[in-house]
Amino acid sequence: MNDMQSNQFANATPVDSSNSPPAGADSQDQAREAQSVQCARQPIGVVLEIAGSGSAIALDLQRLNECMADADPSIALAGQVGSQIKIKTNDGWLLASVRNQRQDRRGDGNSIVANIDFLGEGMEEKLTGKIHSFRRGVTRYPIPGAMIFPATSEDLRQIYASDGRSAIQIGTVYPTSDIRAGMYIDAMLGKHFALLGSTGTGKSTSAALILHRICQAAPEGHILMIDPHGEYSAAFRNTGMIFDVTNLQMPYWLMNFEEHCEVLLKSSGNDLQNDRDILAKCLLAARQKNRLAETMGKITVDSPIPYLLSDLTGMIQDEMGKLDKATNTAPYMRIKTKIDELKADPRYQFMFSGMLVGDTMADFIGKIFRMPSDGKPISIIDVSGVPSDITSTVVAVLSRLTFDFAIWSRSESTSPILLVCEEAHRYVPNERNADGNSVGTILSRIAKEGRKYGISLGLITQRPSDLAEGVLSQCGTIISMRLNNDRDQDFVRAAMPEGARGFLDSIPALRNRECIICGEGVSIPIRVSFDNLEESKRPASEDPSFVDLWNQSGGEEDKVYRTVQRWRSQGS
């Protein structure tokens, strides 16, 4: 550090940023606390230059080494990448996060130059020097030469304290062990959220923790979760309703025309357009045969009016009968054959059963959206048993019902709905992986317009770089666990706000069940260690122990036999 900076340190007035040790405390604790107070009162660096969102500072290496031995974990990390420091201003404190460090080669080797990102500011309590009334953003910047001090755990307690809005507590603030980390529910859900993390980082358990906390805070809520692997049934069997192919009973006639095309039409090119024209004409005619259609006047091919599959095949047969000998009957046969296949295949019975032709739309919507919730505010839709060729369509129908219900219920009192989509990159892929399915279109629309209608979208994915470009940027709160892939890290870095850069650099180094949270749901970017979840509330996503299981023997023949029986009788 140069002579001018050294003189500034020598002449700096110590700032008391902690209380005196409590009377009657153990003598060893008193000594430790007195040492922390002394360490917190001494500056650790000076401001070198100021820029809008961040600045450069010089840190004294000797002071950093002294801080490392401090009992307060926040002071011990002072000046390190991702840690918080505070800067003295005329009437208070500025809080900043350290983004990077490098040795100052122009000095004597005792100086470190670092870049910082400003997080917010607070007033100073004159007697103790503590921070209070902390708020996000900066109104008055410091000047070069301003003193820098370590942020104490007591400072962080003030900074991360709730401002009175409804919040859920999900863990502890790093590096402390007792400062609770909260997320503001309305802000988080009002502008969507995303939970990101590589496989094995504890993503599913963390998602279950957040949803459990939301359900506890709002037991009459309306949450719909798409579960592609059947993991969450175990986590919510006591607090939610579990739907799978055995009890979902989703009527096929709820599909709109595009979704019908995805399920029934497999041709391409000119044949596809020809098939679409035929299906549109016959589907509209089949819907018009229902008594409901007579009372409603004009209906469209998208209207959710019940119809019989036999009526649809009958219309196709009639249209085919009107053709002269020269006209090709192949398109009609293709559609009719596909419908007959779906009716006969037991795997599709949850959707194409003849029992689902009654007008059960209101019952179905009330059931999956938990209206009323009856103390079970979350629906888990386990699509692991749905045939892979129509999984995307099933998710599209559920997502579109969420959106359409919100639009058509605007004249009623608002009932916000949270739609949580696990493995989101499968359903809203980027342009490179896009397959043209309607699910990507509807989820993108919910991301852009959903909050106007009271729909919140929660995206959970291990591959954020495979998500559609605009969708992640629509998420106001991003919860990032460890990401091992460089492309995923870059993608998240681009989506996060400027002030979180210092935190972002620690994403590859996060432990399991640790995360960085930034955006609307928190006051400032925050690193959190998630709470442990009780065994009964965890999803069934634990990795098997190969060594343990491969040291067990017995009953393999029976296991194979039972598996084959289930395999053969799927859907029946």
Side-chain angles (χ1 to χ4, degrees):
M1 199 170 288
N2 61 35
D3 293 340
M4 185 182 296
Q5 291 167 2
S6 299
N7 290 337
Q8 285 175 313
F9 275 111
N11 298 326
T13 305
V15 178
D16 186 359
S17 63
S18 294
N19 282 332
S20 301
D26 184 86
S27 58
Q28 196 173 2
D29 291 341
Q30 280 187 336
R32 272 201 300 265
E33 196 155 343
Q35 185 182 3
S36 287
V37 169
Q38 188 63 28
C39 201
R41 291 171 61 187
Q42 300 297 327
I44 58 172
V46 293
V47 175
L48 294 180
E49 63 179 52
I50 295 292
S53 61
S55 301
I57 61 173
L59 297 169
D60 187 303
L61 188 57
Q62 183 181 340
R63 283 287 296 121
L64 293 187
N65 287 332
E66 290 171 6
C67 288
M68 283 182 194
D70 200 278
D72 184 332
S74 302
I75 296 177
L77 284 177
Q80 295 185 29
V81 172
S83 67
Q84 283 82 49
I85 48 102
K86 58 185 185 183
I87 303 168
K88 191 77 182 74
T89 59
N90 283 343
D91 55 355
W93 294 102
L94 268 181
L95 191 81
S97 169
V98 178
R99 190 196 315 165
N100 55 36
Q101 291 179 339
R102 65 185 181 279
Q103 189 172 11
D104 185 1
R105 301 190 182 281
R106 294 169 299 177
D108 57 4
N110 288 326
S111 177
I112 291 174
V113 177
N115 292 101
I116 58 172
D117 297 308
F118 293 121
L119 298 174
E121 59 190 358
M123 305 302 290
E124 180 184 20
E125 209 172 86
K126 294 301 179 187
L127 289 176
T128 63
K130 282 184 181 178
I131 296 175
H132 70 92
S133 305
F134 180 83
R135 60 191 181 278
R136 197 179 194 166
V138 179
T139 54
R140 180 178 290 180
Y141 288 94
I143 57 172
M147 290 290 115
I148 294 167
F149 296 85
T152 67
S153 288
E154 195 56 45
D155 293 330
L156 296 185
R157 201 181 306 282
Q158 290 294 321
I159 290 160
Y160 293 119
S162 173
D163 60 9
R165 290 181 287 169
S166 297
I168 53 170
Q169 292 192 344
I170 56 169
T172 53
V173 177
Y174 178 87
T176 71
S177 58
D178 59 343
I179 298 178
R180 299 295 290 154
M183 295 172 70
Y184 300 117
I185 301 179
D186 289 342
M188 180 179 83
L189 300 186
K191 294 187 177 174
H192 311 316
F193 70 92
L195 174 58
L196 318 169
S198 296
T199 302
T201 57
K203 189 169 73 278
S204 300
T205 310
S206 303
L209 171 70
I210 291 169
L211 292 175
H212 275 301
R213 294 283 194 267
I214 292 173
C215 290
Q216 287 167 8
E220 298 300 318
H222 311 290
I223 304 172
L224 178 67
M225 181 177 202
I226 310 294
D227 176 14
H229 301 305
E231 294 177 334
Y232 293 89
S233 303
F236 293 95
R237 58 178 174 266
N238 298 322
T239 53
M241 289 297 292
I242 315 300
F243 297 101
D244 56 21
V245 291
T246 63
N247 65 345
L248 181 59
Q249 295 183 314
M250 186 170 86
Y252 57 86
W253 47 263
L254 283 176
M255 293 190 293
N256 64 16
F257 177 61
E258 280 300 322
E259 291 150 3
H260 270 89
C261 290
E262 285 178 18
V263 174
L264 300 179
L265 308 183
K266 300 302 175 187
S267 49
S268 58
N270 292 334
D271 285 347
L272 178 59
Q273 188 54 53
N274 199 12
D275 290 3
R276 285 172 65 95
D277 294 341
I278 294 168
L279 180 60
K281 183 177 182 181
C282 296
L283 179 59
L284 179 59
R287 289 198 195 275
Q288 286 172 333
K289 288 190 74 172
N290 191 294
R291 282 198 300 263
L292 216 67
E294 296 171 9
T295 63
M296 297 178 62
K298 188 169 176 59
I299 67 166
T300 71
V301 71
D302 288 328
S303 299
I305 303 292
Y307 71 88
L308 288 167
L309 283 172
S310 56
D311 282 344
L312 179 57
T313 52
M315 293 293 175
I316 293 169
Q317 192 78 43
D318 291 347
E319 288 296 315
M320 191 165 57
K322 295 176 185 176
L323 299 175
D324 56 41
K325 296 287 186 212
T327 312
N328 188 1
T329 60
Y332 298 89
M333 290 306 298
R334 276 198 298 266
I335 302 172
K336 186 173 179 298
T337 303
K338 184 63 181 176
I339 295 171
D340 291 339
E341 281 177 13
L342 293 174
K343 285 166 67 175
D345 193 330
R347 295 175 302 158
Y348 297 86
Q349 288 300 293
F350 75 96
M351 192 171 179
F352 290 95
S353 165
M355 304 295 291
L356 299 175
V357 77
D359 183 14
T360 55
M361 186 173 178
D363 292 339
F364 181 74
I365 284 175
K367 179 176 73 172
I368 64 165
F369 292 156
R370 310 308 305 137
M371 295 181 180
S373 63
D374 294 329
K376 294 191 172 184
I378 185 168
S379 285
I380 304 295
I381 312 292
D382 176 2
V383 295
S384 60
V386 173
S388 57
D389 59 331
I390 65 163
T391 303
S392 291
T393 308
V394 169
V395 177
V397 173
L398 294 168
S399 305
R400 184 180 51 76
L401 284 177
T402 308
F403 191 73
D404 287 351
F405 179 79
I407 288 177
W408 291 106
S409 65
R410 278 177 297 176
S411 58
E412 306 288 335
S413 59
T414 306
S415 295
I417 298 172
L418 168 59
L419 175 63
V420 183
C421 197
E422 172 71 271
E423 296 278 357
H425 59 276
R426 286 169 50 172
Y427 304 119
V428 260
N430 56 25
E431 287 182 13
R432 191 178 63 255
N433 300 319
D435 51 10
N437 278 342
S438 54
V439 64
T441 307
I442 185 61
L443 285 175
S444 296
R445 191 174 178 195
I446 289 174
K448 291 171 188 168
E449 305 172 32
R451 59 179 174 270
K452 301 175 191 171
Y453 306 110
I455 306 175
S456 177
L457 185 62
L459 300 176
I460 305 171
T461 179
Q462 62 200 21
R463 293 304 306 270
S465 60
D466 285 347
L467 273 176
E469 288 284 339
V471 173
L472 191 59
S473 62
Q474 296 290 335
C475 294
T477 304
I478 294 180
I479 306 159
S480 179
M481 305 182 78
R482 188 175 68 250
L483 290 165
N484 300 326
N485 184 284
D486 288 343
R487 207 159 52 110
D488 291 331
Q489 293 167 21
D490 293 340
F491 199 78
V492 175
R493 195 172 281 114
M496 281 192 173
E498 288 284 309
R501 281 185 189 170
F503 290 88
L504 286 172
D505 291 334
S506 62
I507 282 179
L510 291 172
R511 298 188 186 99
N512 284 359
R513 298 190 50 70
E514 273 191 354
C515 71
I516 305 293
I517 308 175
C518 70
E520 302 294 331
V522 287
S523 300
I524 58 173
I526 181 175
R527 180 170 170 178
V528 176
S529 297
F530 279 114
D531 288 338
N532 284 323
L533 201 55
E534 306 94 283
E535 191 73 40
S536 62
K537 293 183 176 180
R538 290 181 195 167
S541 57
E542 294 292 316
D543 293 331
S545 168
F546 285 81
V547 173
D548 290 348
L549 295 175
W550 284 355
N551 273 295
Q552 299 172 11
S553 182
E556 282 91 345
E557 296 93 339
D558 292 340
K559 186 188 295 184
V560 171
Y561 178 77
R562 289 193 301 269
T563 301
V564 169
Q565 290 299 104
R566 283 194 299 272
W567 197 341
R568 282 178 173 157
S569 62
Q570 57 183 309
S572 60

